[in-house]
Amino acid sequence: MRERYSPLISLKKGHWFKLICGASFQHLPTVRNLTLAYTLAGADCIDVAADPAAIASAGQALQVASGLQYWAKSQGFGYQTLPWIMVSINDGEDPHFRKAEFDPTVCPTDCWRPCEKVCPAEAIVFSEDRDTITSGNSGVIDELCYGCGRCLSVCPKQLIQARSYVSTPTSIASLVLQTGVDAIEIHTQVGRETDFQRLWKSIKPWVNQLKLIAISCPDGEGLVEYLQSLYEIISPLPCALIWQTDGKPMSGDIGAGSTIAAIALSQKVLDAKLPGYVQLAGGTNNFTVAKLVAKGLLASENNKQGNSAKNLNTYIPENRFVSGVAYGSYARVLLSPILEKLEKMHKSQLQAIESVYSTTSNAKQLTNDSQLTKLEVLPELLWEAISLANSLVSQIKTSDLNKMRN
C-alpha cells in the first residue's frame, strides 16, 4: 500500500523545503502572503515567529491554499500537501530574536541614512515632517524588522541599538496547546547546555503533540560534541529531528558566496553521523542546491537506500545526505516586488476610502476590511508570486539532479 504523501516523506526523500518567515518578523499581511505563495509552490514547512497572531495568519493562508490546490496543480506548480507550521524559540541571546530601534529625532539632518538603504526588509523609514517623526511614524517599523543587524554597523553615529528577547516556558506551552503548531525549532549556541536543558524541560511535556523538533546552531569550537550532548538531553524523541546548520544567519540575499558557510557546516554535521536529518539555513539562496549537488551532498536516485518491507525504497539514510534547505531572507526578497505592488495598490485604495469617508466613522472600518492585503484577491499577482516561489522550491524538489550538474 502506497504511503500518503506528507512533509515527513519529503524530509525522508531528501527534498524538504522550508520557508522562514522570520523569528522576529511580524508583518502579518506579508506572513500570510508568503505562506500562501510558497505553500502552493510545494513548501513542506512554514517557520513563523512564536506569536499567536503570526501563527494565525499562516493558518489562514493554509486554508486559502487548500481551496486553491487543484488550480495550483493544473498550473504545474509543486503543491503536494499542506506544509507543517513551525515556530522558532531560543534558549538565550540570538540574532534571530531581536529588533533594531533608535530615536529618529536625534538623527543628524545631514545624515545620508545608510541604515535605510541597507535594510532588506524596508523596516527603516524617515519622514521630513517633524510632527510625524515624534508621533512614532518614523524610525524602525517594528513588525517589519527581523533582526538582521545590518543597520547596526552602518550608522555613522552608532545611534541604532538591538532589543533582544528570550523565549519563556509559559509562552511555549500556550503556543503548543492553543495554536496546534506542528513543529518547534530551538535556536541555541555552543556552550549553552544548561540553558538548553532548562528550555527543553518546558517543551518535553508537549513533545508527543509535535511532528518535528529542529535544533538550529551556528558553527563554533566543540560544535559536534555540543550537538551530541543536546541529543542526549532530548532522547528518546517520539518525532522527527532536524539539525539545522545555520551557516551565515540572515544573509541569503547578499550574494552567491553567502551559501558557502551553510554548506561547509552541513558537511561538518553530516560527518558527525548524528541521529536525525540535516537541513541547511543561513545564507541559502538560488545557488545553494546547485552547490550541494556539485559536492555530492544531495542524494540522487542512484544512491538512495531502500526498505522494501515498508515500501520506502526511495528514502535516504538520515545522516548521509542533506535532507533539505530552509530559505529566509532570499525567499522573502524574491517575492518582494509582487508584495510591494500589492502594498501600493492597498495604499491607493485606503487613500480613496479616506478621501470619501474622512469625516465619518465608516472610514476606519472600511480600511480594516480592505481585501487588497490578500494576494489571492488578484489572481494575476498570485500566479506571478507562486511562479517565483516555484522557481526556488522546484530546485530541491527536482528528481533529475543530473540536469543541474550540466
Side-chain angles (χ1 to χ4, degrees):
M1 182 176 177
R2 186 177 181 182
E3 188 173 358
R4 185 177 179 181
Y5 193 89
S6 71
L8 181 58
I9 290 180
S10 188
L11 188 63
K12 290 178 176 180
K13 287 188 173 184
H15 50 71
W16 164 273
F17 181 103
K18 185 177 83 169
L19 168 69
I20 304 173
C21 289
S24 297
F25 188 76
Q26 294 162 306
H27 189 255
L28 302 183
T30 301
V31 169
R32 186 185 187 279
N33 290 328
L34 286 170
T35 299
L36 177 60
Y38 278 97
T39 292
L40 292 174
D44 299 294
C45 184
I46 308 294
D47 188 352
V48 300
D51 171 18
I55 297 167
S57 291
Q60 292 166 11
L62 296 192
Q63 290 181 357
V64 174
S66 183
L68 294 172
Q69 58 177 298
Y70 299 109
W71 169 81
K73 290 178 180 179
S74 71
Q75 298 296 310
F77 298 129
Y79 178 91
Q80 291 288 334
T81 188
L82 289 178
W84 289 342
I85 297 295
M86 171 185 284
V87 294
S88 287
I89 58 178
N90 57 326
D91 64 5
E93 292 287 328
D94 189 283
H96 297 87
F97 298 82
R98 65 182 181 182
K99 300 277 191 181
E101 60 182 13
F102 67 94
D103 181 357
T105 63
V106 301
C107 293
T109 56
D110 60 346
C111 180
W112 62 284
R113 299 171 180 171
C115 59
E116 185 179 25
K117 295 176 175 61
V118 78
C119 179
E122 298 185 353
I124 298 178
V125 296
F126 287 91
S127 172
E128 303 305 326
D129 184 349
R130 193 54 123 187
D131 292 334
T132 301
I133 292 177
T134 56
S135 68
N137 293 321
S138 187
V140 178
I141 303 174
D142 199 65
E143 64 269 22
L144 285 175
C145 177
Y146 61 83
C148 72
R150 298 176 203 179
C151 60
L152 301 177
S153 60
V154 300
C155 177
K157 299 294 184 179
Q158 297 298 293
L159 298 175
I160 306 176
Q161 299 176 329
R163 182 181 81 251
S164 300
Y165 58 93
V166 179
S167 304
T168 63
T170 53
S171 66
I172 295 164
S174 64
L175 282 171
V176 174
L177 288 175
Q178 297 179 22
T179 63
V181 298
D182 301 295
I184 285 180
E185 180 168 276
I186 305 171
H187 287 252
T188 187
Q189 293 182 24
V190 176
R192 296 213 296 232
E193 287 95 337
T194 302
D195 296 321
F196 182 93
Q197 194 160 21
R198 185 184 302 114
L199 183 63
W200 181 252
K201 186 177 179 180
S202 66
I203 297 172
K204 190 174 180 180
W206 321 115
V207 167
N208 286 330
Q209 298 183 30
L210 299 173
K211 300 180 178 73
L212 173 70
I213 291 289
I215 297 176
S216 180
C217 190
D219 201 0
E221 186 177 351
L223 172 68
V224 171
E225 292 77 11
Y226 179 63
L227 296 184
Q228 289 170 338
S229 70
L230 298 189
Y231 185 72
E232 292 177 5
I233 291 172
I234 65 176
S235 297
L237 199 63
C239 58
L241 171 65
I242 282 179
W243 301 104
Q244 177 167 285
T245 55
D246 196 4
K248 193 173 181 182
M250 297 175 285
S251 65
D253 59 310
I254 293 177
S258 67
T259 196
I260 294 174
I263 294 175
L265 185 53
S266 71
Q267 180 70 76
K268 183 175 182 178
V269 175
L270 284 171
D271 290 344
K273 305 284 185 196
L274 293 163
Y277 302 95
V278 175
Q279 172 226 277
L280 272 68
T284 53
N285 52 35
N286 198 45
F287 302 92
T288 304
V289 171
K291 289 182 180 296
L292 285 171
V293 171
K295 289 182 173 292
L297 295 178
L298 283 182
S300 69
E301 292 299 324
N302 294 326
N303 56 26
K304 294 178 180 179
Q305 290 185 353
N307 187 341
S308 56
K310 295 184 179 180
N311 196 28
L312 306 181
N313 60 329
T314 58
Y315 289 1
I316 66 173
E318 276 190 2
N319 50 21
R320 280 189 53 195
F321 299 97
V322 168
S323 293
V325 181
Y327 298 86
S329 55
Y330 181 82
R332 298 192 295 267
V333 169
L334 183 64
L335 264 60
S336 61
I338 308 299
L339 301 185
E340 287 171 9
K341 191 182 299 184
L342 186 66
E343 179 71 14
K344 288 179 181 177
M345 296 176 70
H346 173 58
K347 287 181 178 178
S348 297
Q349 185 189 54
L350 298 189
Q351 290 171 357
I353 290 173
E354 290 170 359
S355 67
V356 174
Y357 295 96
S358 58
T359 59
T360 71
S361 60
N362 291 334
K364 184 175 182 180
Q365 185 60 47
L366 289 170
T367 296
N368 292 337
D369 291 343
S370 171
Q371 294 294 302
L372 279 181
T373 60
K374 300 176 180 178
L375 191 56
E376 71 271 16
V377 172
L378 298 169
E380 290 185 6
L381 282 186
L382 175 63
W383 188 91
E384 191 174 353
I386 304 172
S387 295
L388 286 172
N390 197 70
S391 70
L392 185 60
V393 177
S394 62
Q395 293 183 20
I396 191 72
K397 297 293 184 181
T398 181
S399 60
D400 190 356
L401 298 179
N402 288 323
K403 290 182 178 179
M404 300 192 66
R405 292 190 176 96
N406 298 328

